[in-house]
Every structure is written in C-alpha cells, then in structure tokens.
Amino acid sequence: MSRRRAPCRRQQAAPRCGAPSGCFWSWYLSRATRGLLSSLHRVCLSPVHRTLPGVPLKTNGLCCCCLSVPSPDASVARVMWTLVGRGWGCARTLARWATGAALGPAPTFGAAPESWPTCRVYSSAEFKEKLDMSRFPVENIRNFSIVAHVDHGKSTLADRLLELTGTIDKTKNNKQVLDKLQVERERGITVKAQTASLFHNCEGKQYLLNLIDTPGHVDFSYEVSRSLSACQGVLLVVDANEGIQAQTVANFFLAFEAQLSVIPVINKIDLKNADPERVENQIEKVFDIPSDECIKISAKLGTNVESVLQAVIERIPPPKVHRKNPLRALVFDSTFDQYRGVIANVALFDGVVSKGDKIVSAHTQKTYEVNEVGVLNPNEQPTHKLYAGQVGYLIAGMKNVTEAQIGDTLYLHKQPVEPLPGFKSAKPMVFAGMYPIDQSEYNNLKSAIEKLTLNDSSVTVHRDSSLALGAGWRLGFLGLLHMEVFNQRLEQEYNASVILTTPTVPYKAVLSSSKLIKEYREKEITIINPAQFPDKSKVTEYLEPVVLGTIITPDEYTGKIMMLCEARRAVQKNMIFIDQNRVMLKYLFPLNEIVVDFYDSLKSLSSGYASFDYEDAGYQTAELVKMDILLNGNTVEELVTVVHKDKAHSIGKAICERLKDSLPRQLFEIAIQAAIGSKIIARETVKAYRKNVLAKCGSSPPSKLKPLSFFDSKIRIC
C-alpha cells in the first residue's frame, strides 16, 4: 500500500472535489495577488515538478507542493499554468470557465493549442528563455554600423534589415524603430546611436549581425566615432538623388582612419529624379571605390535589401578576438535606469562574461558583481553569457553615474589586463550657461544633468554662478543643434526647465607677465565664459578657434556661397568638381563666424541643396575685443560677448536693437549701450511711459469732467 503524504495547509484550505467551486477560485485568485504567483513560478518550473499542457500531471493532479487539486479538470490545470505563464489577465478569464460561466467549452489537455478559445499559453521558461550565445562562433559574427548624411534613408534601411531577419514583425508602422527618444520622433532625425543584434540564416549557417544605427548630423559625429570602435565595417548610405554630401565625406574618412571595410549603398532608387549611375561615379572619384561594388536599393520599398545582408556577411570580416584570454570589454555607451542603475553597452574583445562574475573597472578600480548580461534585439534580451566578438549590454549594480565612464575597460576580478585605448575626448565647440528657473530646483537639475551626460558623454560640465541667475553650470556642446537637443531632452525626460545664455566659443589668451603665469599656473589660458575675458594689458595675443569646413553644392550657387564665406572671414583652401554639376569647397573658418546662423544662410542661398560639415583645425591669432552691454549704465554680465575688432560696431548695434524690441517699456527711460572698455560704440533707448493728461477729458459731458489734480496741472504748465 502506497504511503500518501499528508495535505499541507494550502491543500486543506481548498475544496477537494472533481470540479473546483467558485469560493475556491475567489480564495485562489486573491492569494495570487499577494505572492502566490511567485510561489507557483518558483516551484512549478523546477526540474522535478515541471509539466506542460498536454502532458499527464503527476498523481492525477498538480504536484502537492503547488497547491494540488487531486482531480482537477482540464480548465483548472490550464488556469494554473496560465497564472505561471501569461499572467493575471488570462487567468481571470479562464477562471470563469472553472466557475461555470458561459464562455464555450473548457479546453482539454489533448487539444491542440490552435483549438483553445483564448490566446496561446506560455510557461515562464518559454516566455523568459535566455539565449545561448555560445552557438555563434567568432567566424559567424559581423559587427557593422550604418552611416550617412542626414535624411539619406539610414534609419529606414535599419527597419528593413530588422524585418528581413525576423527581429521585428513586418508592419506598416515600422518607422524609425531604433529611434527611441521622443526628440528623435519629433525632429525626424537620429541623435543617439542604437544597437540591435540580428540573427540571420545564410547557406545553412546561423550568423549574428550586430547593427549600430548612428546619427547623421555633424553635431553628433562623436556618437559615430564611438560606434565605429565596436565595428569591423560600415554601410555608407548615399541618396540616389542628392549624391555625396559633406557628412558623407566625413563619415567615410572616419571609417577609413579606423581601417574598417566600407560597403557603399545607394538608396532611394525609386525616386523620380534618382540617378544612381551619377552617384556611382561620384563614389568612385571621391572615395576610390569601384562602381561595381555599390549596392542599389530602395529601403522604403524593400527593393534589393537582401543584397545588403549578403554583402555584410561576405565583405565585412569577423572580429579578431580571443575567447580563451581573460575578459576585456569596452564600454562604448551607457544609460541610467533608476531601478537597475547603469546599463553599459559593451563590446567584448577577449574572454567571456556571465551573470555572477566579479568585474573591475579600469578607470575607478572598483569591483562589481554582474547582475545581468544580454543583447539588444532591439529591446533587452538576457543571455547566459557574452563571448568575445559580441556586442551587448551589462548591468553590474553601478548606482552612481560617475562610476560609468565611456571608453572604460572592464575585466575580471584578480585577472588584470592592459586597458583598451578608449576614446579621444570630445572637443566642445559651443559653450552656454545653464541655470534653473528657480534656485530651489538646483539639486533636481544637477541630478538630471548628471544622468543625461552619462548617456551623452560629449557634453562637458563646469560649475558657474551669476549675480542675476544664481548658481548654475557652463556646458560645452558640439554645436547649436546638440545644445537644443540636450535642452529638449532635459524637459521631456526629466521635466526640468532651464535658462540658457547666449552660446559662445572657447578662446585662448597668451599671458604677458610671469606673475600672471604663476597665478594661472599656465602661460596659455582658455576662456569659456566671456565675462572672464582678460584685458589687453595682461596678454600678448588672443587666439580664436578655427575649423576646416567642407561645402558641397551645385555649381550654379558657387558664386553666392563664396561671397558668404568671405563675409565670414573664411580663407579658401581647395575647390574640386566631383562631377559635372557639383563642386566641393574647402574653407578655413573662424568658429565664431559659423556657429550661430551660417548653416541657415547657406541653405537659404543654395535653395537647400548645399551641405556643410566641419572639423577642428586648432587656433589662430586674432584681434578680439570684449564687448559689454549696459542697461542704464550697469553692465549685464550675462550679455557680455567677445567679437572681432572689425565687426564690433555692427554686432553691438544689432544687439542693442534686438534688446530694444525685447525689453518692455517702464515708467522711466532705459538706455541700452554697447561698450568696449570705456568707449560706447552703439546705443538704443527704450522710451518711458508718459502721463496722458487728456485721457480724462475725453468726450464726457462738461458736467462730469473732474478737476485736474496738482500733478496734472504741473505737467500742463511744463
């Protein structure tokens, strides 16, 4: 005679009958909301007790450890499995079967899933199955980026690749799938590089394709350079109508310097004015890539996109890594989650990392325990391990944003390695003051800036203060668009409203005396705040930043663009015809001449056809002056600016006129002045309100006119 185990307290509470009653389900579902679901999840999925629909249950019921019912019908068993798998919503619906609700016949164990009246049932193991990344050897891995000029179809191509590999379902709503930020959706541009791991079967082999979608605007070129460090090749996308643009040239040379394989892709061949043959000739002439290596596609229609995947496998080499060596992982991007801390995007160059490993940061020398590793598909997909050559994410309990540094090297505890080279620091082109609207929000804004700069490491932060605006920061950006996007992300993601001052560029000054050199501890100082610009008597010379600008335009606009460049103090360096109708101009620009409105002026003159890109070219000597803006004789520190001596008068007059239109009238006169030292170079006046002494005279009858006051009578006498 078999010995039967005594029922536990949970079993005693449940009615022991063939068909469960409604009171049982009321008790059962209420227990589920208080933690019973987690208990079922832990026990039912253990190797001993695990069972699935369609398989006979142990001892004619669920196992005794999991609130067994000796003879449950099929609907009860399925409800319990639904609680474990798909969750509360399906369980509540299926419970109505068990209590006799008229929802059609109850499902049976032998029936196929398609015959069940409700949605498919999943176990937790099936729903949260971890990927086994060991089945992808190094020779079956391809890491590549998509680079292009703005609006050349880069994100659309990424959408088609995700669809072709089955990473996402093919629907009409797949537009900018990898552009996850609200600001990207609103502006229609990519501002943040995004990673996605694609699984593709080609000729009987399973390949792992790690795709990184990058921004196309010059202000986010640092995102591109960081992304290329985790790749062995790039897809260089060129518009079949517009042809090669300035940012296309810049992206090509970034890939060339990194010694990556370049696959030219001519997109938008479905357009009416598309001329892919002309673009092929441009690519061959400018980049020295044979025209027969170009792939012609229409990412919007999906035409010939399969050839891109084939080219990635055939023409991009696998990563050169060693899985038997100790772990070396490069942090090339990171985000912050308020519950899990820092989520680091890593590229593994050597070794293996898995959950539970203890890793060390080469930058901070702090030790962490790995909580989770995985790949982005394109959302987070946990895996058992990550192997050398693969790109994924890693969570290790970094709670402080300062602990995660872009370019840091991670290695296993007690297995030190030589750190990877990392990244060259981004050089800010534009500086602006940022202050909270209310000083009580200072700490909240500080926390928001720290978290956002973790995700955008190209922003530099310096503490600053102002008499009028209080405590704040001086932030460095790569351009005006970068500054606008950063401000917009602060508002959208952290609900922070700020005051931004006028953007300026960094200047340098060579000190004249040894006393000043000793005070500043260097002979050449950098000025990022115009209010701190030193007087001419203290320096031997001033230096201004310059950039090498590239302009590509139809030749019919060449004359107008040359005049614009000369008006901005630019020096022409080169001029090349890339085909019969397009010309590439190279100019050396002072940075402060192009940072504000040059791009808009260029687009206006060329009817939108010209493109512009620039790169840092160092500093040059210039005659600079500090221009103060005074209101009724008082200097406003926030309006101080540094200008070239030859343009001081015109700029000062323009600022005064703008302030006159912006400042509201008062009961007193406001004098707006632009001054260089003690010399006033421009002035505007906001007139005071005047007493209207005739307002009371109007058209009222004489009997109702009031006598003039003493003050009114004095005005009339005057």
Side-chain angles (χ1 to χ4, degrees), residues 125-159:
E126 182 182 0
F127 191 69
K128 295 185 177 180
E129 181 182 1
K130 290 187 177 180
L131 295 172
D132 181 11
M133 303 303 291
S134 63
R135 59 194 180 99
F136 298 103
V138 175
E139 57 270 17
N140 288 2
I141 297 176
R142 302 292 185 269
N143 302 323
F144 66 99
S145 292
I146 304 179
V147 296
H149 188 76
V150 178
D151 200 30
H152 277 204
K154 171 175 44 61
S155 296
T156 307
L157 175 58
D159 294 341

Side-chain angles (χ1 to χ4, degrees), residues 330-384:
L330 175 68
V331 180
F332 66 90
D333 201 358
S334 58
T335 56
F336 186 83
D337 185 277
Q338 59 177 337
Y339 301 108
R340 298 182 293 172
V342 175
I343 303 174
N345 288 3
V346 294
L348 272 66
F349 285 80
D350 290 308
V352 182
V353 63
S354 61
K355 180 180 179 180
D357 288 347
K358 289 189 176 181
I359 59 173
V360 181
S361 165
H363 177 74
T364 63
Q365 293 300 313
K366 291 185 177 181
T367 303
Y368 308 93
E369 182 176 347
V370 178
N371 299 327
E372 184 180 322
V373 294
V375 295
L376 297 168
N377 191 317
N379 299 319
E380 293 174 5
Q381 176 68 46
T383 64
H384 294 285

